[in-house]
Amino acid sequence: MCGIVGYIGPREATEIVVGGLQRLEYRGYDSAGVAIYDPAAGLQLRRSIGKLGNLLQRIGREPTVGCLGLGHTRWATHGGVTEENAHPHRDASGSIVVIQNGIVENYLELKANMLADGHHFVSQTDTEVIAHLVGHYYQRTGSLEAAVRQAVAELRGGNALVALCIHEPDRLVAARLGNAGGVVIGLGAGETFVASDVPAILDHTRSLLFLEDHELAVITREGAQLSKLDGTPVSRQPVTMSWDPVAAARGDFKHFMQKEIHEQPRALTDVLRGRIDQDAGSVHLEDLRLDDAALRQVGRIYATACGTAWHAALVAKFMIESLARVRVEVDYASEFRYREPVLGADALLLAFTQSGETVDTLAAMEEARNQGVPSIAIVNAIGSQAARVADGGPLYLHAGPEIGVASTKAFTSMLVAAYLFALRLGQARGTLTAAQIRIALQALVELPGKAATVIERAVPVCEALAERYHRVSNALFLGRQANYPIALEGALKLKEISYIHAEGYPAGEMKHGPIALIDEDLPVICIAPRDHIYAKMLSNIEQVRARHGQVLAIGTDGDDQLAAKADRVILVPATIPLLQPVLTVIPLQIFAYAMALRRGCDVDQPRNLAKSVTVE
Ligand code: G6P
């Protein structure tokens, strides 16, 4: 949540900062602002509520100049969406500005103390309190670095912040406290960038330094000096990011979500790349730090995640239990971290996260670490916090940057990554023979082509469905077994981008409640591939039909019986049952997209949501 960008160098900062914010708008779009400094023009602050476009217009009318600057796009936590609450925030003297991502849990207490000392605040935000605190320590120390260090020492919660002081125009100071947000520093030739996420600076450099928890960076044109918050110097080599900046651009697509849906065949290929040996019938996961002996010791797995990634974890349970015969418990990370879980010496934590920055997921990983349990992050963002703290290693999706708030390609890539992991575990534990793995690998290599077929077929059907159903206010999604999480995911997608209330249910549970909702106006989306519970799904469909519900079915190729029963049907190519969810979910993504588009909703930036959730 909240995007942060900063720049120091020879070029005009406004363009670079605003360009970075455009790449990060998915992080929050309640308001945006920049602060640019130039020795002659002074400190220029521009802030606007609403989307970044408003800020751009403002800057168009009142241009800013200078080679030092920072900017912020906000997802409101403390204080409503007003210009006063937009970042950057100033200290009492007006010479220091601060942008922040995160929450200062003790800000009321800090604010009360400062009010008693005569400070005057113009916003309701916790960030303004940080700015005043930095200003307060600057008066005492005359050093921005020292002031940030001392101010951060008083904060509780998780924050990532960047500060600029007009009396020290040769630097920015960034700090990270806790897991509330990443800070990445981009090293250029005679210029340096700082941001909350990699896509903001990829256009300029691929040489990156990631700030860890409790670290501070003094950022100058020459680079960055890192230290612990207690002042201990930190030496770290930059990493080189392989992501292509073009991949973070929308290209000819109308929306990032649409682009990312269409990228799925490629993403499903990339997640396999270099990891499978079809001749030998084996899987090799390059970054995994657990060898065969360690994998054989695993007696239970806790899979944890938030949002769409949690649905991937639910599907992973079926894969791992079936292929590796290890029991899996799935938890929302936000619940797991507070329930005092009893993990056990033979446990392993699997964290699913696209961004690698979701605060609850990181906290769940920390809980595991505290109990001596290794964790593996099934993660997309290279170099993200989850990837770095996963002591069992990251299992990268290699899906490329995902910008649309509603996750699509990261989800299907997570399913394939989880499947690879299940095969790897089964291989180590001897629950699978090389011949069985060979069959599974064949299904995996055929998957990208099948996904392309699904996209091609589903787009026109979903456009027609959206025409017919876009005015509904409710929808029900039903599935069974590994397709039950897909029903949840279909409902979530529809909810988050089209604002239609939707529920996902295990089809067998329908008669215990949701059946009461069924009437001729309710679309019931039934996921019914030909698998071992197909006949049960057909009975559930009959129950819906008997109550005049509208049945929209997702089935597998050649299923005339299903086509005859449903009002509309989308057939997807068949694959092995554990991989079928990869294909059944795609029409649901496309359906949600088409519905949102038809309803005139902002697909990439749905209201109130943000892509990286770095607050609790
Ligand atoms: C937010 C996003 C979802 C995402 C979830 C978890 O809610 O809108 O699309 O699934 O966070 O994010 P993660 O980055 O951990 O996968």
Side-chain angles (χ1 to χ4, degrees), residues 306-309 352-356 358 361 405-407 414 496 610-611 613:
C306 303
T308 285
F352 290 75
T353 169
Q354 188 286 128
S355 63
T358 301
T361 307
V405 167
S407 181
M414 273 179 196
E496 61 185 350
K611 187 143 187 80
V613 180

Side-chain angles (χ1 to χ4, degrees), residues 356-370:
E357 302 289 350
T358 301
V359 70
D360 285 321
T361 307
L362 293 173
M365 293 174 80
E366 197 174 324
E367 174 66 34
R369 197 163 47 252
N370 292 341

Side-chain angles (χ1 to χ4, degrees), residues 15-87:
E15 208 173 297
I16 291 164
V17 168
V18 167
L21 291 179
Q22 281 170 324
R23 296 273 200 234
L24 293 188
E25 212 186 355
Y26 60 82
R27 274 204 160 237
Y29 28 83
D30 290 331
S31 62
V34 296
I36 309 291
Y37 177 72
D38 175 77
L43 186 66
Q44 308 134 75
L45 216 66
R46 304 284 183 270
R47 302 182 298 184
S48 293
I49 59 166
K51 302 229 166 133
L52 200 56
N54 296 348
L55 178 68
L56 294 182
Q57 284 179 8
R58 178 85 188 265
I59 295 174
R61 290 194 303 273
E62 303 165 48
T64 47
V65 290
C67 300
L68 173 68
L70 40 78
H72 186 269
T73 168
R74 178 170 187 244
W75 188 85
T77 57
H78 293 69
V81 179
T82 62
E83 193 172 317
E84 289 71 39
N85 287 338
H87 299 216

Side-chain angles (χ1 to χ4, degrees), residues 1-8 16-17 19-21 23-24 26-27 69-73 99 101 160-162 172 174-176 181-187 192-202 204-205 208-211 217 219 357:
M1 334 212 98
C2 298
I4 286 179
V5 188
Y7 173 76
I8 181 164
I16 291 164
V17 168
L21 291 179
R23 296 273 200 234
L24 293 188
Y26 60 82
R27 274 204 160 237
L70 40 78
H72 186 269
T73 168
I99 49 176
N101 174 22
L161 62 93
V162 185
L172 293 168
R176 174 174 185 162
V183 176
V184 56
I185 296 161
L187 307 172
T192 311
F193 311 80
V194 57
S196 48
D197 322 50
V198 175
I201 51 184
L202 262 193
H204 309 290
T205 177
L208 307 175
L209 275 172
F210 291 94
L211 219 57
I219 298 160
E357 302 289 350

Side-chain angles (χ1 to χ4, degrees), residues 146-227:
V148 170
R149 215 180 277 289
Q150 292 187 23
V152 172
E154 293 198 18
L155 307 181
R156 275 207 317 272
N159 325 88
L161 62 93
V162 185
L164 176 163
C165 172
I166 61 169
H167 305 305
E168 299 187 20
D170 65 336
R171 65 191 54 203
L172 293 168
V173 175
R176 174 174 185 162
L177 182 67
N179 286 332
V183 176
V184 56
I185 296 161
L187 307 172
E191 56 183 358
T192 311
F193 311 80
V194 57
S196 48
D197 322 50
V198 175
I201 51 184
L202 262 193
D203 278 343
H204 309 290
T205 177
R206 306 235 184 134
S207 177
L208 307 175
L209 275 172
F210 291 94
L211 219 57
E212 298 289 353
D213 181 12
H214 278 84
E215 286 183 357
L216 177 144
V218 175
I219 298 160
T220 61
R221 289 169 63 145
E222 286 70 44
Q225 251 183 9
L226 309 192
S227 56

